[in-house]
Each structure stands twice: as C-alpha cells, then as structure tokens.
Amino acid sequence: MVAISSSVGSGAAGAATFVGSNSRKYNYFEPRGKRATHYEDVTVDVQPDPERYLIQDWIIEFEGGKGGGAYQKDNTAALSSNWHAFRAPDQEWERTHYQRQSKTVTMVQNVISNARKAGAPAAFDQTWIRVLQAHLGAWKHAEFGLGTSLMQAQRYGYTQMINNATLTNSSYKLRLAQDITLYLAEIGMDIDGWDDELGKKSWLEDPIWQPTREAIEAIMGCEDYLEQYFAINIIFEPLVGELVRSGFFMQVAAANNDFITPPVISAAEADYERNLANAIDLMFLLANDEKHAGHNRKLFQSWIAKHGALADKAVQNLQPIWSQPHSKPVAFEDVRAVSHERIDQILGELGLSR
C-alpha cells in the first residue's frame, strides 16, 4: 500500500494517509486469514518501512553505516517481491514466548528436582556418567553457539515478523544451553568425582568435536542473516542437532539407567519443530517468489552445498560417541539414515535437494 502525503506536509510519523489512518482497528495490512490474528496485530509493521506507510526515511540511522536507514534489503543475498508476506506459523510474540519458556523451564526444573530427591543420579551407569560429562557437556556449547548466531542474525532482518521468528529461535537455543548447564551442575552434586570442566575441555580439544565446532563457527561467521537462519534450521539441525539429541542422548540414556536426561532434552525437539516450521514457511515464500524464485533457489543450493559438507564432516566425527556407553540400544548408522531421510523431506518441501 502506497503512502500519500497529507496536508501536514511533513516527514513525521503520521503525516501519511492510507486506508485505516483514522481507524482504531488494525486494518492497514492484509491478514493471512479472513481476520487478523493477535500475533499479526502486534507484529506486522511494528518495524516501520518507508516503502509502505510512511513518507519519511527510516526512523533509526547509524553513523558510519551503509546509509538509507537501519534496515537494508541487501543484508541478505536473497530477494523478495514482498518481505512483509511472511507470517510465522507458530504465531509467537513476546507474551506467548515468555509463557512457553516459563512452562518449559518449570518442567525441566521439576524433573531434575524430583529425580534428585529420589536419588536417581546414583543409579547411573558409571561409563554413562563419563559420557554426560564429556559429551552432553560439550553439546551445550554447540547449542550456545547456534543461539548466539541467531541472536546476531535477528538484528538484520528486514521485517518484524522475520526478526521475531529468528529471535525466539535464538532464545530457545540459549535456554537449552542453560538447561543443560544447570542440569549437569545439579546432578554433579550427587555424583562423586564429577568434573564440571570436562565438557568444555572436550569441546575445545577432543577431535570428536572439532568438525562440529567448525560447522557452527562457519555459521557464526556468515554475514548474511538468512544464510545463518537457513544453515541452522534447514541443514545443521536435521543432520547434526537431532542426531545428537534424539538419536543419542534421548535413546541411549534410559538403557544406561538414566531417566532424567531424556525429558531435559526433549523440550528442545519440540522447540525445533516450531522453528523448522517457521524456517520452511519463510524459505518456501522465497523459493517460490514470483520474480526471484530462480535466484533464490540457486542461492539456497549454494548454502546447502557449503553447510551440508560441514555438517556431514561433523556427523562422521561424532560416530565414536555411539560406541562409548556400556548399553548401546541404537546403532549410529541407523540414526544417520533417519537424519538423511529427514533432511531430504525438508528440502523436498522447498523444491531443493542435496
């Protein structure tokens, strides 16, 4: 919708007129459904765009920047005929996000507290204790790295809808890193000889984890915010994230007398399903854009090749972890086959392939 200058003759906010200018109802944007949802009311156009309803330039400017305002379309190589078309399927905004996070944290804390009261950590298999210290302790750094990357990415999104989806994604990853940190610290108080530093040492020095570090640091180093968002949710998570969380810790823990770790980790899988749905919806719009579909598909394929190779290398190096516990209820090759099927399904929804 094009803004029309009013008789005020000013570049100030409110100087432009459009359908709904004098209405108290939110009818200045086109809702996805018949009626605007609460999520749309509090999200769409909260970040103003001078191409839509205002006649002044961007309200926020930064010294030494590229010029033209705080938000630039060329912060990503992807192109769109309408950046404002995206709506997050989970319809999450500040209030609903805080509510969901609060419930998750309460659940995790209750699980840990009740398990400790029952003396559950004392029953853990001794070899499994070492696995938790070294490898779950290392994995929290992976989650933190992904969360930090998404925190950086959300700053550059062109619309509030894109930024919200990226920021809540970041929040979930950082919460999981915190959940794991607190979980290991608490059960460590019940286990003799517990080493809180082993996870960090493994992350920095163990050859098993170095390709995973490389994959995450490559994502963190991207200057394109949509490449970061794409690489994490479309590539790294199905190939590496789910492989480690669901394919190892959630399946192997119980067989080694650990019934606490699975529920602590399980919240992350629900988080990813929402984040994945958001990412697919956004990338689908770009991959099928009426003007720029060809450009975007070619760009996405380059991201798949780049980050897919790093993720494959990370997965191959993680294989020895599956052989370390005493009880091995699941084989690495079976888990990896599931992850390959998963990413093929995700890419297939976008009309892409490896």
Side-chain angles (χ1 to χ4, degrees), residues 229-249:
Y229 190 53
F230 184 99
I232 290 171
N233 288 295
I234 306 299
I235 304 299
F236 186 88
E237 281 282 71
L239 284 179
V240 186
E242 287 188 315
L243 182 96
V244 172
R245 293 188 304 263
S246 296
F248 183 71
F249 287 109

Side-chain angles (χ1 to χ4, degrees), residues 161-182:
M161 294 80 76
I162 294 173
N163 285 355
N164 261 25
T166 311
L167 185 57
T168 55
N169 195 162
S170 170
S171 177
Y172 286 125
K173 305 304 285 182
L174 295 176
R175 191 217 69 236
L176 177 59
Q178 176 179 280
D179 287 344
I180 295 173
T181 300
L182 295 176

Side-chain angles (χ1 to χ4, degrees), residues 203-281:
W203 178 249
L204 295 176
E205 301 176 13
D206 191 334
I208 288 176
W209 286 103
Q210 300 320 297
T212 303
R213 280 186 61 198
E214 181 183 7
I216 292 176
E217 289 171 8
I219 294 172
M220 296 177 72
C222 293
E223 295 184 356
D224 187 314
Y225 72 93
L226 276 187
E227 180 180 353
Q228 291 177 303
Y229 190 53
F230 184 99
I232 290 171
N233 288 295
I234 306 299
I235 304 299
F236 186 88
E237 281 282 71
L239 284 179
V240 186
E242 287 188 315
L243 182 96
V244 172
R245 293 188 304 263
S246 296
F248 183 71
F249 287 109
M250 290 182 64
Q251 293 196 56
V252 180
N256 289 276
N257 298 328
D258 174 7
F259 296 93
I260 316 176
T261 300
V264 172
I265 300 297
S266 65
E269 301 305 75
D271 293 341
Y272 177 51
E273 289 300 332
R274 289 189 300 277
N275 294 326
L276 177 62
N278 292 343
I280 287 178
D281 208 72

Side-chain angles (χ1 to χ4, degrees), residues 326-346:
H326 276 149
S327 181
K328 306 173 181 62
V330 61
F332 171 79
E333 292 301 332
D334 292 339
V335 174
R336 185 165 65 171
V338 171
S339 71
H340 285 178
E341 181 179 348
R342 171 75 150 160
I343 194 170
D344 287 344
Q345 178 186 20
I346 292 170

Side-chain angles (χ1 to χ4, degrees), residues 95-238:
R95 182 176 181 180
T96 55
H97 180 68
Y98 296 150
Q99 289 172 334
R100 194 190 303 277
Q101 288 282 55
S102 177
K103 291 177 181 177
T104 300
V105 170
T106 299
M107 180 275 291
V108 170
Q109 289 177 335
N110 285 340
V111 166
I112 297 172
S113 177
N114 291 335
R116 289 188 64 206
K117 289 178 182 177
F124 287 2
D125 177 85
Q126 290 300 307
T127 301
W128 181 249
I129 290 175
R130 174 79 179 184
V131 170
L132 289 178
Q133 292 175 93
H135 300 306
L136 185 56
W139 182 251
K140 71 179 181 182
H141 295 283
E143 296 287 352
F144 180 80
L146 296 176
T148 301
S149 182
L150 289 162
M151 180 68 74
Q152 173 191 0
Q154 67 83 30
R155 162 64 186 79
Y156 298 97
Y158 193 70
T159 75
Q160 188 73 7
M161 294 80 76
I162 294 173
N163 285 355
N164 261 25
T166 311
L167 185 57
T168 55
N169 195 162
S170 170
S171 177
Y172 286 125
K173 305 304 285 182
L174 295 176
R175 191 217 69 236
L176 177 59
Q178 176 179 280
D179 287 344
I180 295 173
T181 300
L182 295 176
Y183 166 55
L184 294 178
E186 291 194 48
I187 64 173
M189 292 188 286
D190 301 330
I191 300 174
D192 292 338
W194 184 268
D195 185 356
D196 280 321
E197 297 297 318
L198 188 56
K200 180 178 180 180
K201 183 178 177 64
S202 296
W203 178 249
L204 295 176
E205 301 176 13
D206 191 334
I208 288 176
W209 286 103
Q210 300 320 297
T212 303
R213 280 186 61 198
E214 181 183 7
I216 292 176
E217 289 171 8
I219 294 172
M220 296 177 72
C222 293
E223 295 184 356
D224 187 314
Y225 72 93
L226 276 187
E227 180 180 353
Q228 291 177 303
Y229 190 53
F230 184 99
I232 290 171
N233 288 295
I234 306 299
I235 304 299
F236 186 88
E237 281 282 71

Side-chain angles (χ1 to χ4, degrees), residues 32 39 80 82-91 161-162 165 226 229-230 233-234 273-289 300 346 349-350:
R32 171 162 288 189
Y39 156 76
S80 175
N82 180 14
W83 285 107
H84 299 269
F86 172 67
R87 304 288 190 274
D90 68 354
Q91 298 196 24
M161 294 80 76
I162 294 173
L226 276 187
Y229 190 53
F230 184 99
N233 288 295
I234 306 299
E273 289 300 332
R274 289 189 300 277
N275 294 326
L276 177 62
N278 292 343
I280 287 178
D281 208 72
L282 175 57
M283 301 307 166
F284 183 86
L285 287 174
L286 297 173
N288 294 277
D289 188 90
F300 292 166
I346 292 170
E349 291 187 47
L350 298 173

